[in-house]
Amino acid sequence: MRRQPLLQHYAEYIDLPEHTRVVSLLEGGTPLVPMPRLAAELGGGFELYIKYEGLNPTGSFKDRGMTAAVGESLGRGARSVICASTGNTAASAAAYAARAGMRAVVLIPAGKVASGKLAATAAYGAQVLQIEGSFDKALELVVAISKKHPIALVNSLNPHRLQGQKTAAFEIVDQLGGAPDWLCLPVGNAGNISAYWMGFQDYGQGLPKLLGVQAAGAAPLVAGHPIEQPETLATAIRIGKPARGEQAMAAAEESGGRIIAASDDQIVAMRQRIAAEGLWVEPASAAGLAGLAQQIAAGTLDPSGLRIVAVCTGHGLKDPGSEPQTVVEASTLLADFNALEAAILGEQT
Ligand code: AN7
């Protein structure tokens, strides 16, 4: 169990300005969960783990970076933070700004942010503004505002975010006793994959190959050019012009890995498969494993004898979607004990 702020725990590996203040909700320290049954189903003969980042204070990996970015901005005298977001960055910025006693402003693409993220962001007290258009347009706008006004930008263009987020690589090494052979993770704005690569390098205990996975309808790094109108039900990664795209491509290549695309169907199926193991993650979070499954099935990644870690970046509660309605047996408004008993015993009676 983590008893101190994440950045203090790994202080000797963290490069932040002297003025940075501690703004912590005791983030990080998330479990690395073995997935033997899923590994067997994907062909077997290898070790598979999920780094369950949904167990951070606001339910996503963003908290690792936000403790650094908000702490730095507070320390240099900023009173407000701003970000563009597909939802998780917004919730995290709002929570850490609240913790710091700062104002948070978030700009989101209208109608494209999952309900759990919006509810949390509002609850933490942020000002939530929306635009017609994609995340990419929102990011352009907040970058311009932060250049003109003393409002700290806390998107992953802010280098301090990556200093915090790279700690997830340290934890994986500590938990496994070394680096995995492959690290699979979703890619949106491409900050997280860049941060992981930095983290494994800084920790000096081995390097994984990186399998970055974009949603097929929002896969600019696979297409080789920006996507003007990205579309995917994994709204967290509905991003057409990743701010750290070049850095992510370089990292994947340097690692001996690659960045690929998974279809929405593959992502949704993997989300259900992960839930069948008792871990509920938001759709984007399943992309890394969906990509791994696809590559193994295609014979383009041989997992034999390897240790593979998939990062599940956000909690299922973020984006319940239509699942609650479909899961409840709509026809069963039970009248009495006998009806309940019959429903439970069902075919056996
Ligand atoms: C669950 O919140 O971009 O490649 O504005 O929420 O570092 O962008 C979220 C991204 C993966 C992709 N999984 O990470 C935002 C935002 C989840 C996410 C990503 C996001 P990056």
Side-chain angles (χ1 to χ4, degrees), residues 71-136:
E72 189 279 331
S73 66
L74 180 68
R76 81 174 125 89
R79 300 300 309 145
S80 316
V81 300
I82 192 167
C83 64
S85 183
T86 58
N88 280 324
T89 298
S92 187
Y96 282 80
R99 184 75 169 166
M102 299 172 79
R103 176 183 173 194
V105 182
V106 311
L107 187 61
I108 60 170
K112 299 293 183 183
V113 171
S115 57
K117 303 174 189 180
L118 264 183
T121 305
Y124 296 129
Q127 182 179 13
V128 182
L129 303 169
Q130 53 183 4
I131 57 157
E132 200 69 59
S134 70
F135 165 86
D136 308 286

Side-chain angles (χ1 to χ4, degrees), residues 38 213-216 232-235 237 261-276 279-291 293-294 319-323 326-327:
L38 182 51
V213 185
Q214 301 201 288
T232 168
L233 62 76
T235 52
I237 52 173
S263 70
D264 279 8
D265 285 351
Q266 289 172 330
I267 290 171
V268 168
M270 185 53 77
R271 182 196 199 193
Q272 284 170 358
R273 185 61 194 81
I274 297 167
L279 297 183
W280 193 33
V281 304
E282 67 167 287
S285 287
L289 266 172
Q294 175 212 91
D319 192 356
S322 59
E323 284 172 40
T326 55
V327 169

